[in-house]
């Protein structure tokens, strides 16, 4: 199963900690009493509600849309009543506009009817992806229909599906590949038809042998069908799942600085996004739910849960038996790129991959100190940037002068902070530098 495919520069090997959930099948979480649906679930303009307070909605109904600008619509994940159009807790902004639904637990689950996608045009398929409200599930939430319509002057010849799931703890994509391989491969073929390409690679790290086997068999069973789907085995190295690193590892192409993958003829989608595309196209089912890994030694029962968008972390914690006495931190996302949250009232969004309940033994609480110029961050950076200089400039009040050190090329993977012996918050320095440089 070993492979030599990986990106050439930088990267780190944090403890994987996937053994907590990698063998746990996906389970469906029962419906909570309420859902909080954040109106800004993607990069771009936030949604505007199309419903009013006390409105009765059915599962799959449109409840908010983007009328101007970049964005996708939002749908009711369940049948219920609009309790409020107000604000909900947010991991970064403290609060954010949202729609709160009171769940009708007596309403039966909606039955979705299968349709033949192969008779549809590429434009019709693209419209279905938009109408279903699909965004990049594994990343920052870029609207998928926009990514599938690259500029005319950048022809695409290759589709990459990202099944690396290189962040520690997270096994949501792994379990989806093991249990829903056929749907993911069909989603890949749909994406390929939209892009008019006949080559698709699915990159999976070699610590997921079950997923590699399931996806390889599904790709073989699907045959050609206008697109050759090939599973590629990758070395285990973080951040293998980053777009530019994945492209270089699999195709050998290097995306230029400040350019998009389309510049080298490639479009990258997450495997779970491909599955959402499958459901949108073949079932007319909007993006209403997602698989989320619940892990860490601070939760009594780790799990891979299929939860409705808008489910609060507090309801998830209760369902998983509550937290342990030595819980020290709760992180939305992975330990490398996720965000610590101060309240369990934060709801799951379309981009939530995991909720980690971490104990003191799982986090590093040492205080930061001054940079000792060891150079470890330079060696770890997969983009070849200079994190230490960015940090030093930010501390000196010169954040707006960090562009020469590559601050805008940084995708905040956290490799630099992970290896730093002085425990300097280099990713936070980068975020501050970007913010101030844009304002200058």
């Amino acid at each position: 199963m070993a492979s030599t495919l990986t990106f050439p520069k930088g990267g780190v090997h944090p403890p994987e900690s996937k053994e907590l959930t990698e063998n746990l099948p996906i389970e469906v979480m029962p419906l909570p009493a309420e859902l909080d649906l954040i109106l800004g679930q993607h990069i771009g303009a936030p949604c505007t509600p199309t419903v009013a307070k006390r409105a009765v909605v059915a599962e799959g109904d449109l409840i908010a849309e983007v009328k101007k600008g970049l964005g996708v619509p939002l749908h009711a994940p369940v049948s219920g009543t609009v309790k409020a159009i107000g604000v909900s807790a947010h991991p970064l902004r403290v609060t954010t506009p949202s729609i709160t639904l009171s769940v009708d637990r007596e309403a039966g689950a909606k039955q979705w009817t299968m349709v033949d996608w192969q008779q549809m045009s590429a434009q019709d398929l693209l419209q279905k992806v938009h109408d279903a409200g699909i965004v990049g599930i594994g990343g920052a939430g870029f609207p998928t229909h926009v990514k599938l319509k690259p500029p005319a002057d950048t022809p695409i010849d290759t589709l990459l599906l990202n099944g690396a799931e290189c962040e520690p703890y997270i096994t949501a994509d792994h379990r989806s590949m093991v249990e829903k391989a056929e749907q993911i491969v069909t989603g890949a073929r749909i994406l390929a038809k939209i892009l008019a390409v006949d080559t698709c690679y699915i990159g999976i790290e070699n610590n997921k042998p079950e997923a590699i086997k399931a996806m390889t068999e599904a790709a073989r069973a699907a045959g050609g069908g206008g697109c050759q789907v090939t599973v590629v085995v990758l070395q285990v190295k973080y951040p293998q799942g980053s777009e530019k690193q994945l492209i270089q590892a699999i195709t050998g192409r290097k995306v230029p600085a400040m350019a998009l993958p389309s510049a080298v003829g490639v479009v990258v989608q997450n495997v779970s996004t491909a599955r959402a595309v499958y459901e949108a196209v073949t079932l007319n089912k909007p993006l209403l739910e997602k698989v989320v890994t619940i892990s860490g030694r601070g939760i009594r029962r780790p799990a891979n849960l299929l939860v409705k968008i808008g489910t609060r972390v507090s309801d998830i914690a209760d369902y998983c038996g509550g937290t342990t006495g030595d819980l020290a931190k709760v992180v939305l996302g992975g330990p490398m790129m996720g965000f610590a949250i101060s309240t369990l009232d934060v709801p799951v969004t379309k981009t939530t991959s995991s909720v980690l309940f971490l104990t003191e033994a799982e986090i590093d609480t040492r205080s930061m100190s001054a940079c000792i110029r060891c150079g470890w961050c330079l060696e770890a950076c997969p983009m070849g940037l200079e994190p230490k200089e960015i940090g030093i400039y930010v501390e000196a009040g010169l954040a707006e002068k960090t562009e020469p050190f590559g601050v805008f090329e940084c995708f905040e993977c956290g490799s630099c902070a992970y290896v730093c012996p002085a425990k300097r918050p280099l990713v936070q320095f980068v975020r501050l530098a970007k913010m101030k440089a844009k304002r200058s």
Side-chain angles (χ1 to χ4, degrees):
M1 195 70 71
S3 169
T4 57
L5 284 184
T6 190
F7 54 96
K9 180 173 179 55
V12 294
H13 295 86
E16 295 176 22
S17 300
K18 294 180 184 283
E19 69 279 359
L20 295 172
T21 56
E22 64 186 351
N23 296 316
L24 301 178
I26 298 168
E27 60 178 291
V28 179
M29 178 177 163
L31 295 177
E34 293 180 352
L35 299 178
D36 284 336
L37 294 147
I38 290 174
L39 293 174
Q41 302 223 5
H42 53 262
I43 288 178
C47 290
T48 300
T50 59
V51 292
K53 186 177 179 180
R54 290 187 286 276
V56 177
V57 297
E59 180 180 347
D61 282 357
L62 179 73
I63 59 172
E65 62 183 352
V66 175
K67 297 179 180 178
K68 289 184 179 180
L70 182 73
V72 294
L74 184 64
H75 304 81
V78 296
S79 297
T81 304
V82 178
K83 179 181 178 180
I85 298 177
V87 296
S88 298
H90 190 277
L92 298 179
R93 304 187 188 101
V94 185
T95 60
T96 190
S98 69
I99 296 173
T100 299
L101 287 183
S102 293
V103 177
D104 181 0
R105 288 172 165 166
E106 300 302 316
K110 183 169 181 175
Q111 300 302 307
W112 306 96
T113 304
M114 183 78 72
V115 297
D116 183 5
W117 67 272
Q118 298 189 65
Q119 303 305 315
M120 301 179 196
S121 68
Q123 187 56 45
D124 288 342
L125 295 173
L126 186 65
Q127 188 63 47
K128 279 182 171 288
V129 171
H130 168 270
D131 293 346
I134 298 176
V135 300
I137 288 176
F142 194 83
T144 300
H145 72 283
V146 177
K147 209 172 184 182
L148 294 174
K149 196 174 181 180
D153 59 348
T154 56
I156 305 300
D157 58 39
T158 302
L159 168 68
L160 292 191
L161 286 199
N162 183 358
E165 199 166 49
C166 57
E167 276 257 21
Y169 290 94
I170 308 177
T171 57
D173 285 347
H174 168 63
R175 292 311 310 178
S176 294
M177 288 188 286
V178 170
E179 300 177 39
K180 305 294 182 182
E182 183 181 338
Q183 295 180 7
I184 293 171
V185 170
T186 301
R189 295 174 63 204
I190 294 169
L191 292 168
K193 183 172 181 177
I194 294 172
L195 293 166
V197 301
D198 56 13
T199 301
C200 172
Y201 296 108
I202 304 176
I204 308 174
E205 286 192 329
N206 63 10
N207 61 352
K208 305 174 183 66
E210 275 190 282
I212 292 169
K213 181 175 183 289
M215 293 299 294
T216 300
E217 290 176 352
R220 187 180 299 120
C227 177
Q228 184 62 47
V229 180
T230 305
V231 174
V232 178
V233 183
L234 305 166
Q235 281 186 21
V236 177
K237 183 168 70 167
Y238 179 86
Q240 189 78 259
S242 167
E243 277 191 336
K244 293 185 177 181
Q245 280 61 44
L246 191 69
I247 291 169
Q248 193 166 10
I250 294 177
T251 70
R253 304 174 192 178
K254 187 173 182 180
V255 181
M258 307 302 291
L260 297 173
S262 59
V264 294
V266 179
V267 166
V268 181
Q269 296 286 356
N270 180 266
V271 289
S272 291
T273 305
R275 181 167 177 252
V277 166
Y278 160 84
E279 291 191 331
V281 169
T282 67
L283 300 174
N284 290 317
K285 181 180 178 179
L287 181 52
L288 309 177
E289 57 196 7
K290 94 183 291 287
V291 180
V292 180
T293 296
I294 312 302
S295 192
R297 291 168 176 82
I299 189 77
R300 296 194 183 279
R301 188 175 71 85
N304 291 299
L305 298 182
L306 182 65
V307 302
K308 296 294 185 181
I309 305 299
T311 302
R312 295 171 186 148
V313 172
S314 56
D315 288 321
I316 292 174
D318 289 343
Y319 175 68
C320 290
T323 59
T324 63
D326 54 350
L327 175 67
K329 181 181 288 188
V330 180
V331 175
L332 212 61
M336 299 294 286
M337 294 186 71
F339 296 90
I341 56 176
S342 58
T343 173
L344 299 187
D345 291 333
V346 173
V348 166
T349 69
K350 295 178 181 181
T351 61
T352 305
S353 56
S354 67
V355 184
L356 304 182
F357 296 82
L358 305 176
T359 63
E360 288 281 355
E362 295 173 284
I363 62 176
D364 192 336
T365 57
R366 289 177 291 164
S367 300
M368 65 168 280
S369 59
C371 175
I372 60 173
R373 296 187 178 273
C374 64
W376 289 8
C377 60
L378 278 70
E379 292 181 12
C381 179
M383 297 299 292
L385 310 180
E386 299 187 55
K388 67 178 181 63
E389 296 299 330
I390 295 172
I392 290 169
Y393 269 63
V394 169
E395 286 185 303
L398 301 171
E400 66 279 1
K401 296 184 178 181
T402 56
E403 190 168 353
F405 304 116
V407 67
F408 287 112
E409 293 176 54
C410 173
F411 58 92
E412 302 171 19
C413 71
S415 295
C416 55
Y418 176 76
V419 299
C420 180
K423 309 314 299 177
R424 292 170 62 72
L426 294 170
V427 176
Q428 285 75 16
F429 285 149
V430 166
R431 289 175 182 151
L432 183 59
K434 286 179 180 178
M435 180 180 68
K436 293 198 171 183
K438 287 176 181 177
R439 291 178 179 173
S440 63

